[in-house]
């Protein structure tokens, strides 16, 4: 045991820094880079970054496509920040909220030369901090000295960032009698990397050696708690629990991957874009995200930790079945979960069927 933080712990610190608008120093190869999230960057900090070198704006290829910028690095584009551009210019390039109101922003010049590794890591960090996937990146020669001089988090780049699924461990479980079954128990799982906790609701005492009726439910604050009519999450949550109650056994994982893994603030940005006429998939792309940013390995890991290896999975999403199988769990049956369609979410459900392969 060492007092020095591990890379996983430094990652958690870096995420918190970026959310507050504090830059983070990356070190790798012969040099390094100072990065800051586009969404939280203040004007004074941008000026400090300019004093260090030539800042560029890292955007995903998805966002670059909307801005008609070339993504020379494949999955991302490194945009030249004009000298006169301030923090507001950077925020507008990252955030599509005003794209339609100001369609003439740009042209955006993308860099072709140089290394994209720091930009790629910066975007991955911004995503894992549930911020817009855009970051300002300045290459520097002596990252260690710089981080020390300013008290910034120094993150060594080792392999891909952020680390593949952080180990989860169960913190506690307790009995919670539920309306659907008095034999309810809530388990809390905590990832090692300081990210959100996830929950498992166990109904009855499902035998570990038999296939268990299971649901991997992704958090939806608006649908689950507020009764939003824009999606079908609330009715799906309640129907899954009701079926487990009726059968006397089951396990519902409540995965805190709000908005298909982009976080509530970004999901609300997506909702605003949907009010401008874009569908659920197009809205994610305009924000710079993929259609689905969830990591379902977390669900597989929790099921395994609870002793389950075979499931009857409540879902309409074949990708979830495929992913669980890839993670070594046997899906013996897909149990459809068709509830909650209403006039507000009919188009949303149709888009999921057409573009994301959901079964109607
Ligand atoms: N980004 C984004 N997320 C959304 C939107 N509407 C709902 N969500 C989120 O989507 C997640 C639920 O995913 P769904 O695509 O409805 O369903 P699924 O989990 O893939 O499949 P099922 O197992 O059949 O429910 C929840 O995390 C919701 O918060 C939206 O318009 N944009
Ligand atoms: Zn929902």
């Amino acid at each position: 045991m060492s007092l020095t933080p591990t890379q996983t712990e430094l990652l958690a610190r870096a995420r918190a820094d970026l959310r507050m608008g504090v830059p983070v120093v990356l070190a790798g190869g012969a040099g390094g880079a100072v990065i800051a999230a586009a969404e939280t960057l203040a004007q004074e900090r941008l000026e400090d970054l300019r004093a260090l070198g030539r800042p560029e704006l890292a955007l995903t290829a998805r966002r670059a496509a909307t801005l008609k910028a070339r993504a020379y690095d494949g999955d991302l584009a490194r945009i030249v920040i004009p000298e006169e551009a301030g923090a507001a210019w950077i925020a507008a390039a990252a955030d599509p909220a005003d794209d339609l109101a100001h369609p003439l922003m740009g042209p955006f010049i993308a860099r072709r030369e140089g290394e994209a590794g720091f930009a790629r890591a910066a975007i991955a960090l911004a995503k894992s901090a549930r911020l817009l996937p855009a970051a300002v990146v300045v290459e520097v020669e002596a990252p260690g000295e710089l981080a020390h001089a300013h008290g910034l988090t120094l993150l060594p780049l080792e392999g891909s960032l952020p680390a593949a699924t952080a180990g989860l461990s169960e913190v506690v479980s307790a009995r919670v009698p539920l309306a659907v079954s008095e034999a309810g128990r809530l388990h809390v799982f905590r990832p090692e990397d300081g990210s959100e906790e996830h929950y498992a609701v166990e109904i009855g005492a499902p035998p570990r050696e038999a296939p268990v009726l299971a649901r991997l439910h992704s958090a939806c604050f608006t649908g689950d708690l507020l009764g939003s009519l824009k999606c079908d999450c609330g009715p799906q949550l309640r129907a899954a629990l009701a079926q487990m109650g009726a059968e006397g056994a089951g396990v519902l994982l409540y995965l805190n991957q709000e908005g298909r893994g982009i976080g509530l603030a970004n999901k609300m940005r997506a909702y605003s874009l949907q009010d401008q006429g874009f569908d659920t998939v197009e809205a994610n792309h305009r924000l710079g995200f993929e259609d689905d940013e969830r990591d379902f390995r977390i669900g597989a890991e929790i099921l395994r930790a609870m002793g389950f290896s075979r499931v009857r999975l409540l879902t309409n999403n074949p990708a979830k079945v495929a992913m669980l199988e890839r993670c070594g769990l046997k899906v013996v049956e897909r149990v459809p979960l068709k509830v909650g369609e209403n006039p507000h979410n009919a188009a949303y459900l149709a888009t999921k069927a057409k573009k994301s392969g959901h079964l109607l």
Side-chain angles (χ1 to χ4, degrees):
M1 189 74 182
S2 153
L3 288 176
T4 313
T6 63
Q7 209 218 10
T8 305
E9 289 156 354
L10 289 172
L11 266 171
R13 221 187 239 180
R15 274 200 300 271
D17 289 347
L18 293 180
R19 286 186 64 85
M20 291 185 294
V22 177
V24 167
V25 183
L26 305 179
V34 185
I35 64 164
E39 180 177 343
T40 51
L41 180 63
Q43 181 63 33
E44 310 81 73
R45 285 231 162 83
L46 173 62
E47 282 152 24
D48 290 349
L49 292 180
R50 279 211 165 96
L52 297 174
R54 194 159 63 120
E56 60 190 25
L57 177 62
L59 298 175
T60 65
R62 294 281 188 199
R63 181 69 188 135
T66 301
L67 297 178
K68 301 201 169 34
R70 300 290 295 271
Y72 291 116
D73 302 305
D75 55 335
L76 62 93
R78 289 171 293 130
I79 305 293
V80 174
I81 303 176
E83 264 170 38
E84 67 285 1
W89 184 94
I90 288 167
D95 187 343
D98 292 330
D99 280 0
L100 297 188
H102 304 286
L104 295 179
M105 210 189 155
F108 293 89
I109 316 289
R111 278 187 67 195
R112 208 190 255 273
E113 78 287 2
E115 237 298 307
F118 294 124
R120 186 166 289 114
I123 288 176
L125 274 169
K127 276 190 184 181
S128 74
R130 306 286 192 243
L131 297 167
L132 284 168
V136 173
V137 179
V138 193
E139 288 202 28
V140 294
E141 274 172 12
E145 279 169 33
L146 191 91
H148 186 72
H150 298 279
L152 298 176
T153 301
L154 177 69
L155 187 64
L157 278 193
E158 291 164 12
S160 60
L161 272 181
T165 338
L168 285 146
S169 51
E170 181 165 345
V171 183
V172 62
S173 82
R175 201 177 59 82
V176 184
L178 302 171
V180 295
S181 164
E182 290 188 3
R185 174 167 285 274
L186 182 72
H187 304 251
V188 177
F189 286 85
R190 184 174 295 164
E192 272 172 21
D193 69 357
S195 59
E196 295 97 332
E197 292 172 352
H198 305 284
Y199 321 126
V201 183
E202 185 176 3
I203 307 271
R208 277 19 187 190
E209 61 286 354
V212 63
L213 181 64
R215 164 96 183 133
L216 268 62
H217 187 86
S218 300
C220 179
F221 173 72
T222 46
D224 298 343
L225 277 113
L226 305 182
S228 159
L229 299 175
K230 270 183 75 79
C231 58
D232 55 348
C233 303
Q236 281 190 324
L237 173 64
R238 277 172 277 285
L241 288 173
Q243 187 166 343
M244 291 171 192
E247 293 193 15
V251 58
L252 180 136
L253 305 192
Y254 195 89
L255 303 170
N256 275 311
Q257 305 187 114
E258 174 70 56
R260 272 183 246 118
I262 67 176
L264 186 59
N266 286 323
K267 183 172 104 173
M268 291 304 99
R269 291 184 169 117
Y271 275 11
S272 286
L273 295 174
Q274 288 168 34
D275 281 342
Q276 294 179 17
F278 300 104
D279 71 29
T280 181
V281 170
E282 291 163 346
N284 260 39
H285 292 176
R286 290 185 79 86
L287 284 162
F289 291 107
E290 296 305 315
D291 318 9
D292 196 338
E293 297 273 357
R294 288 175 289 184
D295 182 353
F296 282 117
R297 289 172 301 181
I298 296 168
E301 210 179 307
I302 294 176
L303 286 173
R304 248 199 312 273
M306 294 179 78
F308 298 111
S309 56
R310 290 189 296 157
V311 296
R312 292 166 53 224
L313 192 66
L314 276 158
T315 185
N316 306 322
N317 182 355
K320 270 189 193 173
V321 176
M323 183 289 315
L324 273 191
E325 294 262 340
R326 271 201 302 279
C327 294
L329 274 125
K330 183 94 199 88
V331 181
V332 301
E333 183 189 351
R334 183 186 71 80
V335 184
L337 190 56
K338 286 185 194 131
V339 284
E341 182 160 353
N342 69 58
H344 295 273
N345 67 17
Y348 164 76
L349 295 176
T351 302
K352 286 205 306 183
K354 192 162 146 245
K355 294 192 172 176
S356 311
H358 284 236
L359 301 163
L360 279 177

